[in-house]
Amino acid sequence: MFIVFEGIDGAGKTTQIELLADKLRAAGLDPYVTAEPTGMETGRAIRRVLSGALPKTPTQVAAMFVQDRIDHNVDPDQGIEGKLAAGRAVICDRYYYSSLAYQGSLTDFDWVMAANCDCPEIRRPDLCIFLDLSPEESMKRITKGRTQVEIYEKAETLTKFRAQYMNVFQKLQARGEQIEIIDASGNIEQTAEAINKAIFKHFGI
Ligand code: TYD
């Protein structure tokens, strides 16, 4: 079971991933929770780009994410392939849907899609859960209690990325991908309940 959570910045992925991991643990599964950008070398370089410290073109950023994602799949210690082979359920905070939505709207989309979706060492998830929140509400949640924001965390940018996510989902659904769009505007419990329903629908647990 390989599940990805997506959403524009501030949509609440971290909280909901923890809740789903608890639920899977209670069901006797052994979830492995992971995220992109990774904490590996490739991901650390991406963090410097996101903070604004290391300027890169969108095409360079897209390539860095592809590299990080391949490492994230095949790394002998932290790789998704190894965890799935060991029988664990993998929950990942962001994956290629983010690259298609973010870098795909900043550089050549078809190239970003091919680099990710036709790559032999980037596995296709069993389910993508998109937490859908308006860019205005996202910005409210992002700026609350934070002094530093990252390069993509602006309302107009988030509006563009949200629209792009919807285009991406249409294209990927046509390729047979399973994607659930969940309203994340309510409270934590309401969103968790909607996620649980989607998990039951797809996996029967
Ligand atoms: P992060 O700071 O981890 O926050 P969040 O909790 O919202 O995920 O987000 C990483 C940032 O990287 C986020 O702005 C989206 C961006 N990103 C891309 O642009 N492309 C990608 O392929 C991935 C995985 C993330």
Side-chain angles (χ1 to χ4, degrees), residues 96 110 112-122 175:
Y96 56 56
D110 292 338
V112 178
M113 178 143 162
N116 281 279
C117 300
D118 300 335
C119 174
E121 293 191 345
I122 296 180
R175 288 170 65 128

Side-chain angles (χ1 to χ4, degrees), residues 9 13 47 50 65 69 94 98-99 102-103 150 152:
D9 301 74
K13 294 189 296 337
R47 284 278 162 216
L50 294 174
F65 273 112
R69 190 158 296 126
R94 295 192 184 276
S98 287
S99 285
Y102 287 66
Q103 285 68 50
E150 290 185 334
Y152 298 137

Side-chain angles (χ1 to χ4, degrees), residues 46-189:
I46 292 173
R47 284 278 162 216
R48 287 192 284 140
V49 176
L50 294 174
S51 72
L54 179 64
K56 295 279 180 191
T57 69
T59 308
Q60 286 179 305
V61 181
M64 290 171 85
F65 273 112
V66 168
Q67 162 96 65
D68 192 39
R69 190 158 296 126
I70 293 173
D71 291 357
H72 196 198
N73 271 262
V74 303
D75 185 85
D77 298 324
Q78 300 171 49
I80 292 167
E81 287 297 338
K83 304 298 173 193
L84 291 170
R88 301 184 68 176
V90 174
I91 309 176
C92 187
D93 186 343
R94 295 192 184 276
Y95 199 58
Y96 56 56
Y97 313 89
S98 287
S99 285
L100 272 56
Y102 287 66
Q103 285 68 50
S105 50
L106 302 169
T107 182
D108 186 87
F109 178 83
D110 292 338
W111 174 72
V112 178
M113 178 143 162
N116 281 279
C117 300
D118 300 335
C119 174
E121 293 191 345
I122 296 180
R123 174 188 276 265
R124 175 195 276 197
D126 298 308
L127 177 65
C128 168
I129 294 179
F130 180 72
L131 298 185
D132 193 22
L133 191 64
S134 74
E136 294 72 31
E137 185 59 32
S138 292
M139 279 313 293
K140 268 195 227 157
R141 294 187 189 177
I142 289 170
T143 47
K144 207 168 131 196
R146 266 218 252 161
T147 48
Q148 289 226 317
V149 293
E150 290 185 334
I151 55 172
Y152 298 137
E153 296 176 341
K154 299 188 196 84
E156 27 341 328
T157 321
L158 294 183
T159 302
K160 182 161 94 177
F161 294 152
R162 178 170 179 258
Q164 180 74 350
Y165 264 120
M166 296 305 160
N167 290 331
V168 164
F169 293 150
Q170 274 197 342
K171 286 191 208 296
L172 294 179
Q173 277 166 334
R175 288 170 65 128
E177 290 223 16
Q178 300 296 320
I179 296 157
E180 292 284 344
I181 297 170
I182 305 255
D183 177 10
S185 64
N187 62 33
I188 291 175
E189 291 73 26

